[in-house]
Amino acid sequence: MTIAPAPDRVPPTSAGLRPLLGRLVRRPAGAFGVAVVAALLLVAVFAPHVVPYDGATQDIPNRLQGPSGSHLLGTDGLGRDLLSRILLGVRIELAVALPAVCTSLVLGLLLGLVAGYRGGWVDNAVVVFMDTIQAFPSVVLALVLVAVLGPSLTNLVIVVAITFAPQSARVTRASVLALRQSPFIEAERALGAGTLRIIGVHVLPNVIAPLFILLAMNIPSAITVEAGLSFLGMGVQPPTPSWGVILSEGFADVYEAPWAVLWTALALVLTTIGFTTLGETLRDVSDPRLSGAKGLRYDR
Amino acid sequence: MTNDHDRPDAIVSVRGLRTHYVDRQWWFQRLRGRQPAAVRAVDGVDLDIRRGEVVCLVGESGSGKTTLGRAILRLAPATHGQIFFEGRDITGLRGAEFRRLRPKMQMIFQDPHGSLSPRLRVSDLLTEPYRIHDVPADQRYSVAELLEMVELSATLAEKYPHELSGGQARRIGIARALSLHPDFLVADEPTAGLDVSAAAKILSLMRSLRASHGLTYLVITHNLRIVDYLADRLAVMYLGRVAEIGPAEQVLDAPAHPYTRALLDSVSEPDPHRRQGRRRLLLPGEIPSPKNPPSGCSFHPRCRFAEAVCREVPPLAEVDSRHLASCHLSSKIRAAGTPV
């Protein structure tokens, strides 16, 4: 029986993300999704520097104009440039949606892991809690929460996070329930692995893939909730150019000049499709069994 | 009783082990004034496994053999009774204290692919036990050594479980179990899901590893050919209890329990000459529910020989030296002739 030092490991790949991205853009849907999302992120970062107008200056004589050379997408009811306002709005949307959805995912992931793995009364309690939250339509629930907390950007993030957490908790819990019974979890227990290690190393990587798609899918939903709340005056407050505010203001003059509503709706649709295709492709390529290639590498 | 009780050379001893799974709504049954039903997967087993021997555990599906194997490794709860490992009572050990003992007692799982964490490469799977137990580098086998031990090519180290064949996955499972230098291995259907030639290779590998590593096996199987090849002793389980136990050859040649006879008779005999003139004893019906086992001898509803005395629970009594059977009529059964 010879005893030798541990084998040389393949150097840890900080590039764990790079091959994933590479496989992503090799598919048409993935390339499209990446392009849209990248464009949105770039706009969010650089919009203030590239927009033709500041989006706040009013120009009443030129109000409700259609697309023209000086205003590519036209102007709103106060003569403000729509292109500038929509591009500046991207930053607001992502500032609400990204932290909100990420928080909801972490929250849901933790709840789902605990409920699914622990089972018993903990599971029952979590499920009842989640069912209660989901029993309300998300906008109604968000409205109630905003009414209690007061309308502000931070509260909007909290409200959206709470509203969206049950979804990811359910998805996680369902995967954990299936995994908990699988032989390799018992094999880990037989090897002497503790609960934390089993959850962290063997359960987590196998439940995280469906959350990718949820992340990407929920960002447009979060934007919609933001838009809905702002439209009702309970979210972002005018004159901040969030898409909800633009829509809300645009509806006042929708019969004379549908431009504001039209462009904002198109931006919403494009964002939704972009994030959704990204999420779906991400799910496909991140699972080594689906892609037949290398999966996420686990290093210690 | 000579079930090798209290032998100093026993590596594993089980005393009165029961694994009863109680209904989740047991408190409601109590409230209604009823006795809550329990599934008696293992219902009172005494067993000693001596260092270096191979004990095979056979029985139909539902006989509790897998639960017994899992309970010995504390993967299934022991609701009554005691489990000793190297003379130490491990029944009550909890958490970290028990985890320190884990390396000495390992398991080979029934599902070759399913028991490997799907997102780890072979090299990570094989070194996972070392990370769990923080084994210092100088006490580790290298991945290449572990692969060589189970006669696999070192090129498999970078593969994922789904890229392995059934036989390869099974060998990885064995290598992982061996990585921590165990003394005692429970092998649950070690040839399940493998074709005949792969199964034969796994069995011969298990036999040579036993010699080279000084292993003790508890092999759970329903395949009597495995018993023939590996077993020193054979224990036959029926409805959570040991129906018969003894040296493998003795039990196979002269079964003392009608259930063992029926099990042996259910194996098809490929040689037509030997098949002739053989009276086969086939089992009617199915194994009863362990939730509601028959009274008296639990085998009596399916037993051709059952008499009035079988209303009493038969003790596990000696029929020959080191050969025990739980049947009132065992001497009669043995006299009735050998099955094969």
Side-chain angles (χ1 to χ4, degrees):
Chain A
M1 194 180 299
T2 40
I3 290 167
D8 289 340
R9 328 197 108 265
V10 177
T13 44
S14 63
L17 253 166
R18 242 193 11 228
L20 199 68
L21 196 68
R23 274 176 287 138
L24 206 54
V25 296
R26 237 173 281 143
R27 300 172 182 225
F32 172 75
V34 167
V36 172
V37 171
L40 283 169
L41 290 175
L42 283 178
V43 167
V45 173
F46 294 112
H49 307 292
V50 297
V51 290
Y53 301 86
D54 68 0
T57 314
Q58 302 183 3
D59 181 12
I60 302 295
N62 286 321
R63 67 191 288 268
L64 299 179
Q65 285 190 350
S68 67
S70 51
H71 298 282
L72 282 179
L73 299 184
T75 58
D76 70 359
L78 295 171
R80 294 172 295 192
D81 181 52
L82 275 174
L83 177 66
S84 307
R85 281 180 72 72
I86 288 174
L87 290 184
L88 290 169
V90 171
R91 173 178 276 209
I92 314 284
E93 298 312 319
L94 292 186
V96 173
L98 275 177
V101 172
C102 289
T103 314
S104 81
L105 284 183
V106 173
L107 217 64
L109 184 67
L110 290 177
L111 283 170
L113 280 174
V114 171
Y117 197 80
R118 173 68 172 66
W121 67 268
V122 178
D123 186 31
N124 289 338
V126 170
V127 168
V128 167
F129 182 59
M130 294 298 140
D131 282 349
T132 312
I133 292 182
Q134 285 207 308
F136 294 96
S138 56
V139 173
V140 174
L141 178 68
L143 260 178
V144 172
L145 288 171
V146 169
V148 173
L149 297 171
S152 83
L153 211 72
T154 324
N155 287 346
L156 204 60
V157 170
I158 296 172
V159 163
V160 175
I162 294 175
T163 323
F164 281 47
Q167 252 185 325
S168 40
R170 272 163 185 277
V171 170
T172 310
R173 176 179 169 270
S175 333
V176 174
L177 280 182
L179 275 175
R180 195 176 57 163
Q181 302 299 326
S182 52
F184 73 88
I185 296 295
E186 183 167 47
E188 289 301 322
R189 280 214 292 142
L191 287 172
T195 308
L196 272 181
R197 178 176 188 89
I198 292 178
I199 291 182
V201 176
H202 302 283
V203 176
L204 198 60
N206 290 297
V207 300
I208 226 150
L211 292 185
F212 275 133
I213 183 168
L214 213 54
L215 168 71
M217 299 275 228
N218 275 353
I219 283 177
S221 313
I223 291 177
T224 313
V225 171
E226 181 284 319
L229 285 178
S230 303
F231 185 82
L232 295 169
M234 300 295 270
V236 177
Q237 300 301 311
T240 313
S242 88
W243 289 355
V245 170
I246 302 174
L247 275 175
S248 162
E249 292 173 344
F251 260 105
D253 309 301
V254 72
Y255 294 112
E256 290 171 61
W259 307 114
V261 175
L262 184 68
W263 300 132
T264 315
L266 275 178
L268 259 173
V269 168
L270 186 69
T271 309
T272 307
I273 295 175
F275 272 106
T276 311
T277 47
L278 177 68
E280 281 178 348
T281 326
L282 206 56
R283 176 195 55 189
D284 293 348
V285 299
S286 70
D287 192 330
R289 281 162 301 187
L290 288 179
S291 67
K294 297 165 180 124
L296 297 168
R297 185 169 166 84
Y298 152 63
D299 283 291
R300 188 192 168 186
Chain B
M1 300 254 289
T2 46
N3 184 13
D4 300 331
H5 275 220
D6 304 317
R7 277 176 165 263
D9 55 352
I11 183 167
V12 171
S13 298
V14 168
R15 290 287 170 275
L17 184 71
R18 288 163 205 266
T19 298
H20 290 185
Y21 291 106
V22 185
D23 208 37
R24 259 182 121 189
Q25 270 83 41
W26 61 271
W27 54 272
F28 188 64
Q29 299 304 325
R30 275 271 151 77
L31 229 59
R32 292 171 68 203
R34 299 195 181 179
Q35 185 66 26
V39 175
R40 302 162 169 226
V42 177
D43 200 20
V45 168
D46 294 312
L47 180 69
D48 290 88
I49 302 171
R50 276 169 296 146
R51 195 174 283 279
E53 85 175 330
V54 177
V55 175
C56 275
L57 209 53
V58 300
E60 283 166 284
S61 310
S63 60
K65 53 192 195 306
T66 297
T67 310
L68 175 59
R70 293 177 59 228
I72 291 176
L73 296 186
R74 298 277 314 275
L75 294 169
T79 38
H80 305 271
Q82 287 166 299
I83 304 155
F84 297 89
F85 184 74
E86 291 179 332
R88 182 176 176 197
D89 187 348
I90 60 165
T91 326
L93 291 188
R94 308 229 153 267
E97 203 180 355
F98 182 65
R99 256 180 268 138
R100 272 197 290 280
L101 270 176
R102 283 276 187 216
K104 302 193 147 221
M105 42 207 300
Q106 282 297 309
M107 181 147 183
I108 301 171
F109 289 88
Q110 185 169 6
D111 180 348
H113 282 108
S115 55
L116 303 178
S117 197
R119 280 167 194 267
L120 301 196
R121 286 166 202 266
V122 165
S123 54
D124 287 325
L125 283 166
L126 291 179
T127 49
E128 170 81 357
Y130 297 136
R131 286 188 295 270
I132 291 173
H133 293 282
D134 267 325
V135 177
D138 59 336
Q139 288 170 30
R140 299 181 176 192
Y141 289 114
S142 71
V143 171
E145 278 174 313
L146 284 168
L147 287 172
E148 195 191 325
M149 225 181 259
V150 291
E151 293 158 15
L152 286 178
S153 147
T155 54
L156 289 182
E158 290 302 302
K159 300 256 189 224
Y160 284 97
H162 69 271
E163 299 170 308
L164 305 173
S165 73
Q168 287 171 336
R170 164 66 72 229
R171 282 161 195 261
I172 297 298
I174 296 176
R176 177 174 64 175
L178 290 177
S179 64
L180 292 167
H181 309 271
D183 296 319
F184 175 60
L185 271 180
V186 175
D188 189 4
E189 301 283 5
T191 60
L194 302 181
D195 62 59
V196 182
S197 75
K201 285 183 199 152
I202 290 291
L203 290 180
S204 87
L205 175 69
M206 283 179 65
R207 199 147 86 165
S208 70
L209 288 172
R210 173 200 178 189
S212 58
H213 288 67
L215 296 169
T216 306
Y217 288 126
L218 175 65
V219 180
I220 300 160
T221 182
H222 56 243
N223 185 342
L224 290 168
R225 304 210 186 280
I226 295 183
V227 178
D228 218 18
Y229 185 80
L230 278 179
D232 298 318
R233 279 201 302 147
L234 173 60
V236 180
M237 279 190 78
Y238 188 75
L239 271 183
R241 291 169 192 248
V242 173
E244 180 167 7
I245 181 167
E249 255 172 61
Q250 262 188 56
V251 177
L252 292 176
D253 289 345
H257 196 287
Y259 178 62
T260 315
R261 263 206 67 177
L263 269 189
L264 297 179
D265 279 4
S266 67
V267 180
S268 57
E269 170 57 60
D271 183 347
H273 295 293
R274 295 220 298 192
R275 200 152 50 201
Q276 264 168 18
R278 177 179 148 198
R279 287 183 307 133
R280 284 172 51 132
L281 175 66
L282 290 179
L283 270 184
E286 295 203 357
I287 194 162
S289 159
K291 206 168 181 172
N292 188 16
S295 62
C297 170
S298 56
F299 187 61
H300 84 264
R302 299 170 80 188
C303 184
R304 209 178 55 167
F305 307 94
E307 292 177 5
V309 66
C310 298
R311 274 192 264 270
E312 304 290 320
V313 178
L316 191 60
E318 190 169 313
V319 292
D320 211 332
S321 88
R322 298 184 59 223
H323 184 172
L324 292 82
S326 157
C327 178
H328 296 294
L329 311 165
S330 53
S331 51
K332 209 166 149 185
I333 310 284
R334 288 189 98 192
T338 50
V340 181

